């Protein structure tokens, strides 16, 4: 009986306090102390609803969809270029640069020590005086030039040097592309960026094979010395005795000297955290035409990266008949074959060949002195200023390149022509 009396004793104060609380809440609403009704609903929403199913508002599928976050946006990829040349290549290099330029990318330009000092100074001056380059700051000239003999390891050393510069200059790129001044794009950068936007950014486009053929006897077994390692004037490599046996610690691969390499693989080649890149660099120091074997052998002897190798260099090159040592100089008669190859680049061209004018007109929509137009272009004259650098306007070139790349990536996915 005592407990019942105590419960009844507390009922009256509880009822009074509840009424007072309701009155205070109503008063504060009228005084504007609680600014909006939704804030009250927010507070009350923490309590479970006692409404029956008949009293709840209907729930539609569309309202459920709004609860999920939007799909992630695709980040536009970025490329890091090395464009290199030698004596007499200034104009060719400059044209290739402007045809391949995009403000999202990074560029390293190199004229080797065979080029006269005034050509290298003129290149640096042009970059400095180009308003767009000065504004964006993504074009870098190697002022302390290297000697490059092409058939020796100095070309590999120059490529690694450029990679190190690009890694130091910017952390914001996805693939490295090496071009010579004799190369030229067959697609716009918007075409290239659009095609690569949906790709796995660990993929490496590098032509390769372990079938050395005649190269086994003529390149792998001889020992050579590259004078470019210690002379300031260009001289051809020379052979020394004795010959050497093929290595047993790793398998040799060969292919094209032109590549599109992932940032991850470039970092591996530069840092070499398991010693393979350094070991192979020492081996290829005495190897004939080491640019056609070093990167291929590194990637195919490292299981983690071997599965990322796509067997193509994305170039159109018209080689001589076997042994395929020397590419033909392309002319206007080769334009149909270039286009139908669906490749991103072609080589090699003579300076200001009419084939380049046709490519500018028909494929790049570019005038001879200007940049290749893209979604980033703003200002008057066109492309004198950068608008939205992430705005892409892919054209027919993107369709051609996408067709080639999709076929290559699918083959690599199933391990076809991959490090064999």
């Amino acid at each position: 009986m005592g407990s019942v009396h105590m419960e009844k004793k507390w009922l009256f104060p509880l009822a009074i306090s509840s009424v007072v609380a309701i009155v205070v809440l109503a008063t504060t609403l009228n005084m504007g102390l609680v600014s909006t009704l939704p804030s009250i609903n927010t507070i009350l929403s923490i309590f479970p609803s006692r409404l029956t199913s008949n009293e709840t508002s209907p729930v539609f599928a569309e309202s459920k969809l709004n609860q999920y976050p939007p799909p992630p946006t695709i980040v536009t990829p970025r490329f890091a270029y090395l464009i290199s040349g030698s004596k007499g290549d200034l104009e060719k290099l400059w044209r290739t640069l402007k045809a391949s330029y995009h403000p999202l990318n990074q560029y390293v330009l190199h004229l080797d020590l065979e080029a006269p000092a005034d050509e290298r100074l003129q290149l640096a001056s042009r970059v400095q005086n180009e308003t767009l380059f000065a504004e964006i700051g993504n074009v870098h000239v190697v002022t302390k030039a290297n000697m490059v003999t092409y058939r020796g390891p100095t070309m590999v050393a120059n490529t690694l040097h450029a990679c190190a510069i690009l890694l130091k200059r910017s952390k914001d790129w996805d693939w490295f592309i090496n071009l010579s001044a004799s190369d030229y794009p067959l697609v716009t950068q918007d075409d290239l960026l659009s095609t690569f936007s949906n790709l796995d950014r660990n993929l490496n486009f590098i032509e390769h094979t372990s079938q050395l053929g005649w190269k086994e006897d003529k390149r792998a077994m001889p020992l050579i010395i590259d004078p470019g390692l210690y002379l300031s004037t260009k001289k051809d490599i020379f052979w020394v005795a004795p010959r050497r046996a093929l290595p047993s610690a790793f398998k040799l691969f060969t292919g094209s000297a032109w590549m599109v390499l992932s940032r991850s693989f470039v970092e591996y080649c530069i840092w070499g955290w398991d010693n393979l890149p350094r070991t192979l660099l020492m081996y290829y120091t005495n190897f004939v035409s080491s640019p056609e074997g070093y990167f291929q052998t590194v990637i195919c002897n490292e299981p983690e990266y071997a599965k990322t190798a796509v067997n193509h260099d994305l170039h159109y090159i018209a080689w001589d008949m076997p042994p395929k040592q020397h590419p033909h100089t392309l002319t206007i008669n080769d334009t149909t074959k270039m286009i139908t190859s669906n490749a991103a680049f072609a080589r090699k061209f003579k300076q200001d060949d009419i084939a380049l004018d046709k490519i500018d007109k028909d494929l790049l929509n570019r005038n001879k002195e200007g940049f290749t137009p893209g979604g980033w272009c703003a200002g008057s004259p066109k492309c004198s200023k950068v608008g939205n650098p992430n705005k892409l306007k892919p054209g027919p070139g993107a369709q051609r390149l996408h067709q080639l790349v999709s076929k290559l990536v699918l083959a690599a996915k199933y391990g076809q022509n991959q490090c064999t």
Side-chain angles (χ1 to χ4, degrees), residues 276-331:
L276 178 64
R278 284 193 290 272
T279 299
L280 292 179
L281 191 58
M282 289 188 290
Y283 176 81
Y284 275 95
T285 299
N286 304 111
F287 194 98
V288 184
S289 296
S290 54
E292 298 177 4
Y294 171 73
F295 291 100
Q296 288 83 356
T297 302
V298 172
I299 198 168
C300 286
N301 281 274
E302 171 48 58
E304 178 184 350
Y305 290 106
K307 61 187 178 183
T308 69
V310 180
N311 202 347
H312 202 285
D313 61 3
L314 300 187
H315 270 67
Y316 173 79
I317 304 174
W319 291 100
D320 60 357
M321 296 302 287
K324 292 188 175 183
Q325 282 188 280
H326 305 290
H328 289 300
T329 299
L330 301 175
T331 68

Side-chain angles (χ1 to χ4, degrees), residues 6 14 31 47 98 108 113 131 155 161 169 184 189 196 208 216 250 315 359 371 377-378 397 407:
M6 288 297 294
L14 179 61
M31 293 175 62
F47 298 103
K98 298 197 81 172
V108 165
L113 272 179
T131 304
M155 186 173 174
H161 181 207
R169 290 281 184 175
Y184 210 69
Q189 287 301 291
F196 274 69
H208 60 276
E216 180 177 308
F250 47 84
H315 270 67
I359 291 171
F371 296 101
C377 287
K407 179 181 177 181

Side-chain angles (χ1 to χ4, degrees), residues 2-298:
S3 62
V4 173
H5 176 74
M6 288 297 294
E7 288 175 3
K8 290 182 178 180
K9 181 178 179 181
W10 283 105
L11 279 177
F12 182 73
L14 179 61
I16 292 297
S17 61
S18 299
V19 172
V20 172
I22 293 172
V23 172
V24 171
L25 180 59
T27 305
T28 54
L29 285 170
N30 290 332
M31 293 175 62
L33 297 179
V34 179
S35 57
T36 59
L37 184 61
S39 60
I40 296 299
N41 290 337
T42 302
I43 297 172
L44 295 178
S45 66
I46 64 174
F47 298 103
S49 172
R50 295 181 181 273
L51 294 174
T52 65
S53 59
N54 292 332
E55 294 171 326
T56 58
S57 58
V59 177
F60 298 99
E62 290 80 2
S63 64
K64 289 290 185 183
L65 291 176
N66 293 331
Q67 296 177 8
Y68 297 97
T73 56
I74 298 175
V75 178
T76 306
R78 290 158 170 78
F79 295 98
Y81 282 88
L82 163 63
I83 308 178
S84 56
S86 189
K87 181 180 179 180
D89 286 341
L90 173 62
E91 297 301 333
K92 290 198 297 182
L93 188 151
W94 189 251
R95 182 169 183 170
T96 299
L97 168 64
K98 298 197 81 172
S100 306
Y101 182 76
H102 193 284
L104 289 179
N105 297 335
Q106 295 288 324
Y107 298 83
V108 165
L109 312 179
H110 180 261
L111 284 175
D112 70 20
L113 272 179
E114 189 182 36
D118 63 332
E119 283 190 3
R120 297 198 300 274
L121 290 172
Q122 188 178 352
L123 176 61
S125 176
R126 286 190 186 187
V127 170
Q128 186 177 7
N129 293 325
E130 177 63 55
T131 304
L132 208 60
F133 296 164
E135 177 187 346
I136 305 302
N138 63 339
V139 180
H140 319 289
V141 178
V142 178
T143 54
K144 190 175 181 180
N146 302 306
M147 179 58 72
V148 180
T149 52
Y150 297 101
R151 290 215 296 162
T154 45
M155 186 173 174
V156 172
N158 188 61
T159 302
L160 293 172
H161 181 207
C163 289
I165 292 172
L166 288 162
L167 289 170
K168 183 177 180 180
R169 290 281 184 175
S170 173
K171 300 183 183 299
D172 196 16
W173 54 267
D174 303 286
W175 280 282
F176 167 79
I177 300 175
N178 65 327
L179 300 177
S180 79
S182 298
D183 291 44
Y184 210 69
L186 299 176
V187 298
T188 69
Q189 287 301 291
D190 279 14
D191 294 336
L192 191 63
L193 292 165
S194 174
T195 301
F196 274 69
S197 290
N198 294 306
L199 293 184
D200 179 350
R201 303 203 176 176
N202 292 309
L203 292 176
N204 292 275
F205 293 83
I206 178 169
E207 183 187 84
H208 60 276
T209 179
S210 62
Q211 304 301 313
L212 301 184
W214 62 270
K215 293 182 180 180
E216 180 177 308
D217 180 66
K218 300 297 183 182
R219 292 189 176 177
M221 301 180 75
L223 284 173
I224 63 101
I225 293 179
D226 185 353
L229 292 172
Y230 57 87
L231 293 180
S232 59
T233 55
K234 184 174 289 188
K235 292 184 181 294
D236 197 9
I237 59 174
F238 59 88
W239 281 255
V240 296
R243 290 162 63 88
R244 60 182 173 183
L246 293 178
S248 58
F250 47 84
K251 188 176 182 179
L252 294 180
F253 287 78
T254 186
S256 170
W258 314 104
M259 302 157 287
V260 180
L261 303 179
S262 69
R263 181 189 176 92
S264 172
F265 180 62
V266 168
E267 288 178 332
Y268 174 67
C269 290
I270 295 297
W271 294 110
W273 46 79
D274 70 354
N275 271 341
L276 178 64
R278 284 193 290 272
T279 299
L280 292 179
L281 191 58
M282 289 188 290
Y283 176 81
Y284 275 95
T285 299
N286 304 111
F287 194 98
V288 184
S289 296
S290 54
E292 298 177 4
Y294 171 73
F295 291 100
Q296 288 83 356
T297 302
V298 172

